[in-house]
Each structure stands twice: as C-alpha cells, then as structure tokens.
Amino acid sequence: MKLLPKILLVLSCLILLQINLALSQVDTPFDKDSFSADKKDALKEAKKQIRDGDKLYEDEPPMYDLALELYLKANDFNPDNALLNYKIGNCYLHTVQKTKSVKYLEKAKQLNPKIQPDIIYLLAKGYHLNLNLDKAIETYEEYKGSLSPKELTEKGARIDKKIAECHVAKDLVQHPVRIFIDNLGVGVNTEYPEYGPYINADETVLMFTSPRPSTTGGKIDPTDQLFYEDIYISKLKHETWSEANNPRKPLNTASHDAIVGVSPDGKHALIYKGEDNGGDIFECRIDEDGKWKSPKRLPKEINTKYHESSASFSPDMEGLYFVSDKPEGFGGKDIYYTALKIKGNREKLDYEDANNLGAVINTPYDENGVFMDVDGKTLYFSSKGHNTMGGYDVFKTTLVDGKWTKPVNLGYPINSAGDDLFFSFSRDGKHAYYSSFDPSGYGNRDIYMITLLGPEKPLEFIENYDALAFKTMIIGEDMMEERIKIKESMITIVRGTVMDAVTLEPLGSVPVEIYDNLLGMMVASFQSNSETGKYMVSLPSGKNYGFVAKAKDYLFHSENLIIPPATTVQEYVLDMLLHKVKVGSKIILKNIFFDFDKATLRPESTAELDRLTKMLNDIPTLKIEISGHTDNYGSDEYNEKLSGDRAKSVVDYLIEKGIDSGRLTSAGYGESQPIATNETDDGRQENRRTEFKVLSK
C-alpha cells in the first residue's frame, strides 16, 4: 500500500507535464491579455514590427527578406503565434535560406492547422526542399485530400507533378554523381549576392552579376532595396581569382545590367536588361584593349514585346540560342535558335528568323539558362519540366545527325529540389560554374566551381599478372558498339602570343587576320591584347587556315595551320614572332603552296601573295629577295632548279601585280640552307619553304 502515494505522485506529474505542453502549444495572440504588465513596452514594439513587416510582406512585389527581419524580431518576443510562424515560413521559402521554412511552418500547423488554406502545401514544399522526400510525398497527398472537387480540378495536376518530382529526387539522391565543390574565394564573392557566372574557354576570365555598393550610379532599387545589378570581371592569376573589377560604362549603366552569355573567344558579351521592352537581350563587343563598346539591342529576330532572358552563342559564332516566352511556344519559356553571319571586318552580326528547338527540349513548363558547349553540339539548359527533382534542374542534350537527344538530368547534388539555373561549363567539360547559398559562404549567394569526377571505377582484382603479357582478346561483331557518325563541325580553340622575334617582348594591339586558304577569304580579324599580346579564337575544324599579324615598323608575319576534322574539341598554341623592318631580315611565307613537284602556284596562295604585294606597295623603297628551299630528297641539281623555279613564280606574280622588277630578285638554294633536320617528316616539311629577305629599305 506504500506504493500507492508514489504512483499517484508520478501520475500527477505526468498530467501536469501534459497540461504544460498543451498550454505551450496554444496559439498566442499579440494582445495585452496574453502577457503580463511588465511586458507592455516589448509587446508594443513587437506589434509595430509585425505592422511594418506586413507592409513589406503585402507589397507588390513582396519584400520577403526585409519583412523576415522584422517578423523574426517579433517572434523572439512571442514564438507561439500561428500566423506569425506561417508568415516567417513563407518568407523563408522566398529567400536563399528556403530550408529554414520547415521549423516555422510545422509550428504554425501545430498551433492552428487551419491558419491558412495553403499551410499544408507550403509545409510539403518545405519538406521537399529539405529532401525529406517521404514526408513531402505524404504531406502533398494530405493537401490533395483536403481539397474540394473544384479545387482539385484546378490544383490536382500541379500537386501530382510535385509528387512525381519527389520520386525523381529519391532516385537521384540514392545515385549521386561524384563531384567536388569549391568556393571561388574572396576575389569573386562578397557579403552581397553573386550569380550568373560565365567562364571563357580556357577558364581564365570569369564574368558574373552582382548588386553591390560599387554599382554604377551607386543607387538602390526601391522594389527590393538591393543595389542595382552590374557585371563584374575576375581573372585567374597564379591559380587565384583576382578581385573582381567593375568595368562601368558603357557596359554597365545606372540601371540593372546582367551578363547572360559570352562567346568562346571572349569577344562578344550578351547582356540582359529587364527594364527594356519587357526584358531584352543586348550584345556588346569587347576590344582587345579590354574596352567595351556600347551595348546594342539584338534585332527583332530575337527580341520581341515579350520576355527574352537568356542566350548563348554557338562556338563557331554561326548561331544563337535564346529563351523567350512569346506565345507561339510549347508553354511558358522556350528555347529558340537563330542562324547568324558575321559581316565585314567590323564583325557586324546579321541574324535570321528564329526557330523553336522543338518538343524534345521544350515542355509545357519553363526552360531557361541556355548554354551551348564549346563542342557545338552539347546544349545545357535548365527546365521545370522533364524529370526535374523540383524547380529548375540542369539538363543536357546532344545534337546527333541533326536531331536532339532526350535531355538528361545532370543528377544530384548538381541539381537540388530548388531552382538550379545559369550554369556555365569549361571547355573540357570537367568544371561547371554556378551560384548557390551555403551558410559557410561569404554572405548571400556565392559562386562555386564544380569538378565533375565521373562514375566511380570498380576495383579490378587480377590473380595471374603474367597472363596479361600475352593474352589477346578477340572482339566479335556483336561486342562492338554501333559506329556513331557526327556530322556537326567541331570547334578548335587557337590561342597564342604576338611577340618581337628578337626580344620576345609581347606586342600589344597588333591586328591579326585569319583566312580560309581554300576559299581565299578572311574569316576573322581582331587585335592582340594591348598589355599581354595574347589572343584566342575559336574556329571550325577540318580547314586550312592562314594567320597573319601586321604591326607598325615590323614585317608582316604569317602562319599556316591545317586543322584536321575532329569529333572532340581541340586546342592549338600558335605564337607569332614578328621581325622588324631591317636589312637582312628573313620571313618565311607559310601560306604559299605549289603543286606537287612543280613550280605552279596553287589558288590557296593568293591571299599570302596579295599581302606581300600590299607590303611592297606600302613600303615603296623596299627591295627583297624571294628564295626557294627544298629538303634533301632528290639530287642537288634538281632541288636547286625546282626551288629557283618556285621563287621565280612568286616574283612573276608580284611583277604582274605592278611591283617594279628592279625591286625583286629570285634565288633557288635547294637543300643548302636547312632550318630543321632532314631526318624526320616534320623537319623535311619545314625545310620545304619559300621566304623573302630584305635587301634594302
């Protein structure tokens, strides 16, 4: 019987605990009856914070970030108000810290399950964003079951899509892709948001958008109380990103300016301006001095009275992919393509009518953030359709025989249950650059580099190593993969430095021209960087190119580059060494070609010969010797005659073009003046050449 008082005491404690818990879950209003008199002033301040927060919350557009700051202060005073917890949770869903919403939405639902009609839906969304996927599916189903027949007709399809996204997410999370993620550091990232990164082909220049105090004009946008957006540039130096620079006018203005695309050679930038015509895309030309020309609105083939938000050049600069919500699409925002041509030396862009990329890529939902890879056939984009795991996910599709393949989700953790937009990829596809919020970052959204590691290779255990030395596997026809024909032209990146041939000092602002030798026409012109003398250009593979550099007080310099057809992106380094105009200077004419074993000039030589003619006209006192050279194949007599005949063919061409014969001599040296070994094919090819020497100036 002595146990009875103890049992009663324990039961009493449990009852009191339950009562306290129940009381602690009461929806507590912000009124004087709910708080003691000594909290009168604190209550008054909390109510003011809620009123001020409500003005921001109900503004058009809502200022959720600013409202959240005030709501959280009021919540510190009274954490048990259902409506306030609901509003805090909803605010978090509209910020970069979306995952914090669940705590407050759960509290709101506990305090008052009917506080707002969409409380269950928002809570399901919070679970979804936190990748609590089973709970999200359960809560989406709960919300669906709470709807009236009319509401179900209106909202049922959207809820079913959200449930499907959760199932996709479960599968992707269970099979994550292998990646490293690195913050780009203090040179790029600050306490302010950074987003929309675009990297050049060799990953040395990064352009991105940020609203910072250093914005051009220094003003704040009254609609969101953030600084106006500007475009910033950071350069990779000694494996560290330099402090980002604001290039200011004319690229940036006192209004919003956002980078949405950069050509592979870094010479054209695509800019989005939201205040213009409902949102339009502009193109800006970057000269080699790093100076920007005034942005120009893209023509009516791209920009319409609707919203154009994202664009990407094809690497050969023969096309533009862009996003528009014009009504003739498949629904929402679609991706379109327009062919373009570069006209004249000033690189005027001429666009053709745009075409929708079709239902393989575009869905009834939004597509955005388009990015064409440097290979010219792999298209990356973000979509709210396809098999997204929530919001926008990044997908890729490949152009094969003129048709786009089914888009593939890049997987988790590249994609999340939130919006994943505006990725740019490196030339080799190993790195991706994107913007995200991380509590360990520098502030708001930061820019990160993803290193894609590829699938993990299984360990292979071998017991008999000796057998591998002689074992040969015979591959039958049924074991071979079907051959894939790639018709699309691959891109080759050519980069180099223009330098003085003697001092090796870089020569800046030197005009460089590139010719298609077969067509005899110029396909690109630009200047070397004013400080470093460097240049970079992207060219279609499978062609014979002539490179020419011409600087004041220097003889023109030419290079021949025959780029073979390719199925992957190639890269060549082609430095150009220029010789000053002085007696004795020798220049190899690398774009002069003869028929085999003959002195007949081939048509591909015309551009080089015309450049030589122009140089002689520009320097009318110059006298030169044209000389021919061979390798060591054949007899001395034969080689001397062939080389002499070839040199004379060049002189005859120049005389025919009006050059005084008294300024020209020709000579054939055969194999007597080699510049490389005759023991290799490459060496013999270098020795077979035509050159000129300055005799007097």
Side-chain angles (χ1 to χ4, degrees):
M1 296 296 293
K2 292 182 179 180
L3 290 175
L4 184 59
K6 293 183 179 180
I7 293 172
L8 291 174
L9 179 62
V10 171
L11 289 173
S12 299
C13 290
L14 289 173
I15 291 169
L16 287 172
L17 180 61
Q18 288 179 336
I19 292 172
N20 287 332
L21 287 172
L23 289 173
S24 68
Q25 297 299 315
V26 171
D27 185 3
T28 306
F30 283 83
D31 59 38
K32 61 183 180 180
D33 295 333
S34 302
F35 301 94
S36 59
D38 62 329
K39 294 185 178 180
K40 178 181 177 182
D41 291 340
L43 173 63
K44 183 178 179 181
E45 179 63 21
K47 291 173 73 173
K48 182 180 184 303
Q49 290 163 347
I50 292 174
R51 286 196 303 271
D52 292 343
D54 285 344
K55 291 178 183 178
L56 298 166
Y57 186 87
E58 296 164 5
D59 202 357
E60 189 57 46
M63 298 187 187
Y64 291 110
D65 282 285
L66 298 177
L68 180 60
E69 293 179 18
L70 294 166
Y71 286 157
L72 287 172
K73 291 177 181 178
N75 189 258
D76 287 339
F77 174 77
N78 175 18
D80 294 323
N81 182 269
L83 184 58
L84 181 58
N85 276 279
Y86 168 86
K87 289 179 178 178
I88 292 173
N90 194 26
C91 283
Y92 270 124
L93 286 174
H94 290 87
T95 70
V96 294
Q97 302 184 72
K98 299 179 190 299
T99 55
K100 288 188 175 182
S101 62
V102 169
K103 170 185 172 182
Y104 297 94
L105 293 171
E106 283 182 336
K107 185 71 173 286
K109 186 171 181 282
Q110 289 170 359
L111 292 168
N112 184 354
K114 297 183 179 180
I115 186 62
Q116 288 290 319
D118 63 349
I119 178 64
I120 301 174
Y121 177 77
L122 294 186
L123 186 55
K125 191 174 179 180
Y127 290 137
H128 190 170
L129 290 164
N130 276 275
L131 297 181
N132 188 348
L133 299 168
D134 288 329
K135 190 71 173 174
I137 293 170
E138 177 187 328
T139 311
Y140 279 131
E141 294 282 9
E142 180 186 352
Y143 177 66
K144 184 178 178 181
S146 71
L147 298 177
S148 67
K150 181 181 178 181
E151 291 172 328
L152 187 61
T153 301
E154 295 172 352
K155 302 176 182 179
R158 183 180 67 174
I159 300 167
D160 288 341
K161 184 177 187 302
K162 289 295 180 184
I163 293 171
E165 290 172 358
C166 289
H167 286 293
V168 170
K170 287 182 67 174
D171 180 62
L172 293 178
V173 169
Q174 289 172 4
H175 304 91
V177 295
R178 298 196 311 139
I179 61 173
F180 292 145
I181 300 178
D182 295 295
N183 190 300
L184 292 194
V186 294
V188 172
N189 295 313
T190 66
E191 62 183 288
Y192 301 95
E194 286 83 29
Y195 43 86
Y198 287 89
I199 195 77
N200 70 337
D202 60 358
E203 293 185 87
T204 58
V205 179
L206 179 78
M207 302 180 72
F208 62 93
T209 305
S210 181
R212 301 180 178 181
S214 57
T215 181
T216 304
K219 294 183 179 180
I220 290 177
D221 187 342
T223 62
D224 59 10
Q225 294 300 305
L226 295 175
F227 289 99
Y228 281 97
E229 297 169 314
D230 266 2
I231 299 166
Y232 290 81
I233 302 173
S234 177
K235 296 181 179 180
L236 189 65
K237 297 179 179 179
H238 309 296
E239 299 186 357
T240 301
W241 289 101
S242 66
E243 183 177 351
N245 172 57
N246 184 333
R248 302 200 175 278
K249 293 182 179 180
L251 175 66
N252 289 317
T253 66
S255 188
H256 286 291
D257 305 284
I259 187 78
V260 296
V262 180
S263 60
D265 59 9
K267 294 182 174 61
H268 299 267
L270 294 166
I271 302 164
Y272 170 72
K273 294 179 180 288
E275 295 85 0
D276 286 80
N277 196 32
D280 276 358
I281 299 169
F282 289 66
E283 185 261 338
C284 188
R285 183 77 167 85
I286 310 166
D287 66 26
E288 297 299 334
D289 293 333
K291 296 179 181 178
W292 298 77
K293 298 181 180 180
S294 296
K296 295 182 179 180
R297 188 193 308 271
L298 293 183
K300 60 181 176 59
E301 288 82 2
I302 293 96
N303 288 318
T304 67
K305 65 180 180 180
Y306 301 99
H307 186 250
E308 285 75 38
S309 58
S310 172
S312 177
F313 284 116
S314 63
D316 57 7
M317 290 296 290
E318 293 184 0
L320 179 79
Y321 298 85
F322 68 96
V323 173
S324 176
D325 66 352
K326 51 189 176 182
E328 62 261 33
F330 289 90
K333 298 173 183 174
D334 278 5
I335 301 174
Y336 292 80
Y337 173 81
T338 174
L340 66 90
K341 293 181 180 178
I342 299 178
K343 288 190 172 182
N345 294 352
R346 300 181 69 180
E347 298 198 21
K348 177 184 176 183
L349 303 181
D350 187 24
Y351 295 87
E352 298 181 3
D353 290 338
N355 294 304
N356 191 297
L357 287 192
V360 172
I361 291 175
N362 293 313
T363 69
Y365 305 95
D366 287 340
E367 279 68 46
N368 210 335
V370 61
F371 179 86
M372 171 50 75
D373 190 67
V374 73
D375 67 4
K377 63 189 182 71
T378 304
L379 187 73
Y380 296 92
F381 65 97
S382 293
S383 176
K384 290 183 177 179
H386 300 293
N387 60 324
T388 173
M389 61 186 289
Y392 280 109
D393 273 7
V394 184
F395 294 82
K396 76 171 181 178
T397 177
T398 305
L399 188 64
V400 178
D401 293 340
K403 295 181 179 180
W404 294 104
T405 59
K406 181 180 178 181
V408 176
N409 190 308
L410 292 193
Y412 172 83
I414 294 175
N415 287 316
S416 68
D419 286 332
D420 302 291
L421 271 163
F422 304 114
F423 280 58
S424 67
F425 291 80
S426 63
R427 178 183 60 81
D428 57 10
K430 293 181 179 179
H431 295 144
Y433 294 80
Y434 80 116
S435 174
S436 181
F437 169 78
D438 189 303
S440 63
Y442 291 91
N444 198 286
R445 297 179 71 92
D446 284 352
I447 295 175
Y448 294 83
M449 181 183 75
I450 295 175
T451 302
L452 295 97
L453 303 176
E456 187 171 5
K457 296 180 180 179
L459 292 173
E460 184 174 346
F461 295 95
I462 302 172
E463 295 182 358
N464 187 354
Y465 290 91
D466 294 335
L468 294 177
F470 57 85
K471 184 176 180 180
T472 302
M473 179 179 288
I474 306 300
I475 301 179
E477 290 293 327
D478 58 335
M479 298 174 64
M480 298 178 64
E481 293 187 7
E482 182 181 354
R483 184 182 299 274
I484 299 174
K485 295 181 180 179
I486 300 177
K487 296 182 179 179
E488 293 75 26
S489 174
M490 294 296 102
I491 294 301
T492 294
I493 302 294
V494 183
R495 58 185 176 87
T497 306
V498 182
M499 296 178 283
D500 183 289
V502 177
T503 66
L504 298 183
E505 289 293 317
L507 299 177
S509 302
V510 174
V512 178
E513 297 173 350
I514 302 176
Y515 291 81
D516 184 319
N517 284 328
L518 187 61
L519 298 177
M521 62 180 291
M522 185 169 64
V523 294
S525 65
F526 48 86
Q527 290 185 343
S528 63
N529 184 275
S530 60
E531 296 180 359
T532 65
K534 294 183 181 297
Y535 73 92
M536 183 173 67
V537 65
S538 58
L539 297 167
S541 302
K543 294 189 177 184
N544 182 339
Y545 292 103
F547 284 66
V548 182
K550 296 179 285 187
K552 185 179 180 181
D553 299 327
Y554 285 84
L555 297 167
F556 84 85
H557 178 87
S558 67
E559 293 284 350
N560 176 235
L561 182 61
I562 300 175
I563 302 177
T567 57
T568 59
V569 179
Q570 305 175 98
E571 182 172 312
Y572 288 88
V573 176
L574 188 65
D575 294 330
M576 290 188 272
L577 306 179
L578 274 61
H579 293 264
K580 287 192 173 181
V581 180
K582 64 179 182 179
V583 175
S585 293
K586 291 182 179 181
I587 301 297
I588 299 174
L589 298 167
K590 294 190 177 181
N591 290 289
I592 288 184
F593 309 97
F594 297 92
D595 286 341
F596 177 71
D597 215 24
K598 295 180 181 179
T600 306
L601 286 163
R602 295 180 61 83
E604 294 92 324
S605 307
T606 302
E608 186 89 312
L609 291 167
D610 289 346
R611 285 189 289 272
L612 184 57
T613 302
K614 185 177 186 305
M615 183 195 72
L616 290 166
N617 284 327
D618 291 343
I619 313 176
T621 59
L622 198 66
K623 293 184 178 181
I624 63 172
E625 175 194 79
I626 303 292
S627 60
H629 303 265
T630 67
D631 56 27
N632 65 348
Y633 278 16
S635 66
D636 292 348
E637 295 80 7
Y638 180 84
N639 285 337
E640 284 184 16
K641 183 178 185 310
L642 178 62
S643 60
D645 289 345
R646 286 181 168 179
K648 187 175 184 304
S649 293
V650 174
V651 168
D652 290 344
Y653 183 95
L654 296 173
I655 293 172
E656 186 179 325
K657 290 293 183 178
I659 303 300
D660 187 347
S661 61
R663 300 171 59 194
L664 306 170
T665 60
S666 64
Y669 293 103
E671 62 188 80
S672 64
Q673 296 182 6
I675 58 173
T677 179
N678 276 310
E679 301 301 318
T680 65
D681 289 340
D682 289 342
R684 286 189 290 272
Q685 183 174 336
E686 285 190 59
N687 289 329
R688 298 190 296 269
R689 68 194 188 279
T690 304
E691 62 186 25
F692 74 85
K693 180 172 70 173
V694 177
L695 300 178
S696 68
K697 61 173 186 174

